[in-house]
Each structure stands twice: as C-alpha cells, then as structure tokens.
Amino acid sequence: MHEKPVALVTGGNQGIGLAIATELAARGFTVLVGSRDPSRGEAAAAGISGDARAIALDVTNAGSIAAAARRVEEELGRLDVLVNNAGIANGGDTRATTLEGILESGCPSRAAISDIRAVFETNVFGVIAVTQAMLPLLRQAPAARIVNVSSRVGSMTVISDPAYPMRRVGGVAYGPSKSALNAVTIAFAQELARTAIKVNAMCPGFTATAFNDHAGTRSAAEGAREAVRLALLGPDAPTGTFSNDAGPIPW
C-alpha cells in the first residue's frame, strides 16, 4: 500500500483542476493529474512541485475510466481523495468562449439537443461513471473524500432570484447539468453515509480560466480553495453539502 495519501483530480491539467492538484501535492499527497490528452497531463504534472503523476482519463469514455482505475489499483492500492473537476460549458459551440457566447449557446429556445447531451455526458454522467469506478479504491482508504466541482448557477434557489446577476449564464445546458450534479452529490452522500467517505459539492466562483476566456474575477488558486478544504475534511465534518469559500450555498 502506498505510504502517502493519494488524490485524483479529473481535468487536472489546467485551470482550477491544476490549482487543486498543485495545492494537494504541496500538502503531501501523491496527486494523479487526470487529462484526456496524455501529453498535456504530462506537461502539467511536470510543473507541479511534489509527487504529481499524469494519468490518461477521459470521463466520457468507459474504457479510459476502467484503465485509470486499474492503474491506480496496481500502482497505489487506494484512493484517498477524488476531485470530480472535469467539466464543459457547451457541447461544441465554438462561440461559447465568452460570457456572451455561453449565453447564446445555452439559450433554451435555440440550444442544440446534441450539445446539451454532450454537456450532461461530461458534467453528470462522467462524474457518476468515474465515482463508481473509483469507489472500490476509495473504500480502501481510511477516510476518503469525494469533491464535486459544481457552480452557483446549479442552485435553483440562486438562479430563481432576480437580483442574482449571473442567473441566466447557466442556460439550458451548463446550469441544469450542475443542478443534476448537486443531486448526484446528495445521492452518493446518502448511500455512503454509514461509511467514512464524505461526498460534497463546491462552487469555485467566477474564476479566470479558459472556460470563460479568462474573464473571471478570481484566480485559479482562489477557485481551488474550497475544493482543497473539502478534500481535507476531518472525521466530524458533514457530508452531502454545497458550499463555496464564503460558506454554504442553498440547493
């Protein structure tokens, strides 16, 4: 059994995922930097101080997920932290690299059904598939943590408030996919409530990444802060919650 605690961060080769991986490595974890593109994963891992290793992982590909789980089992024997960070804002609409483009690509009356399906494939079904595959390894850890990277635009309470300025950004694809992810978080937390595994969701805030053409107002390190906190929760901490670094977010 590997001596250090082990963390896997999906979509860990850039942005918030890379910041999460970097911080966990600094805290003594062996960090697996998940990336669809192995070369980008290798480059990202090479830039992290500490024990960081690239792992090929496409969360929409069953074979890739199974291969990643086998590698973790064979090389490390367990998984202490799973951060489900990989996500997309649109299903291929090339205009959706700015806030205006994201709004247009998610417009309920015009969004392509194929694009909506693609968003759910990554943001919801990918999380379920990866979590299911990694659960046997998480059960091998003394007190594993699952952190799902969600968004305030997935909160029904928040987006129904006319005073919330970003309430239309989620559209009919991204926002609803995060609402579904929140429900998935609760479902796993309930199933695992009698174990030492805690499952929580977090919002990184409006972070400057390629996701929004770097228009965000927070740094990647700031966006990673709450995910890292949840990854390090103690035994008496809650499970099945939704929060950011300012506190709880209503469902």
Side-chain angles (χ1 to χ4, degrees), residues 177-231:
S177 77
K178 294 302 187 179
S179 300
L181 175 60
N182 289 348
V184 167
T185 300
I186 293 172
F188 273 106
Q190 289 175 341
E191 179 181 354
L192 298 170
R194 295 183 181 275
T195 75
I197 301 173
K198 297 185 186 297
V199 189
N200 294 288
M202 58 77 67
C203 171
F206 189 33
T207 304
T209 66
F211 210 63
N212 53 38
D213 201 26
H214 299 278
T217 56
R218 289 164 62 87
S219 69
E222 289 172 324
R225 187 180 298 152
E226 182 67 359
V228 173
R229 185 187 75 83
L230 293 171

Side-chain angles (χ1 to χ4, degrees), residues 29-47:
F29 280 78
T30 292
V31 179
L32 301 171
V33 181
S35 176
R36 287 180 299 177
D37 183 336
S39 63
R40 294 180 68 185
E42 292 287 353

Side-chain angles (χ1 to χ4, degrees), residues 235-250:
D236 296 327
T239 188
T241 69
F242 182 29
S243 60
N244 60 18
D245 52 12
I249 300 173

Side-chain angles (χ1 to χ4, degrees), residues 58-179:
D58 180 348
V59 304
T60 67
N61 184 292
S64 175
I65 295 169
R70 284 195 301 271
R71 180 182 163 189
V72 177
E73 182 177 18
E74 292 168 2
E75 292 185 11
L76 302 165
R78 74 171 192 279
L79 187 61
D80 297 85
V81 171
L82 170 62
V83 181
N84 287 306
N85 166 75
I88 60 175
N90 65 88
D93 190 330
T94 57
R95 298 168 299 175
T97 57
T98 64
L99 282 179
E100 293 78 12
I102 291 171
L103 278 168
E104 178 59 28
S105 70
C107 179
S109 62
R110 295 191 292 275
I113 295 298
S114 59
D115 287 349
I116 297 169
R117 285 198 178 102
V119 171
F120 270 74
E121 195 66 45
T122 295
N123 296 3
V124 183
F125 302 129
V127 171
I128 296 171
V130 170
T131 303
Q132 288 179 341
M134 298 299 166
L135 260 178
L137 294 159
L138 291 160
R139 292 182 188 276
Q140 293 300 312
R145 304 290 179 256
I146 300 171
V147 182
N148 293 332
V149 177
S150 186
S151 170
R152 282 180 70 88
V153 298
S155 165
M156 309 296 274
T157 301
V158 169
I159 63 169
S160 60
D161 180 358
Y164 180 55
M166 305 286 283
R167 66 196 184 103
R168 290 184 55 239
V169 170
V172 77
Y174 180 71
S177 77
K178 294 302 187 179
S179 300

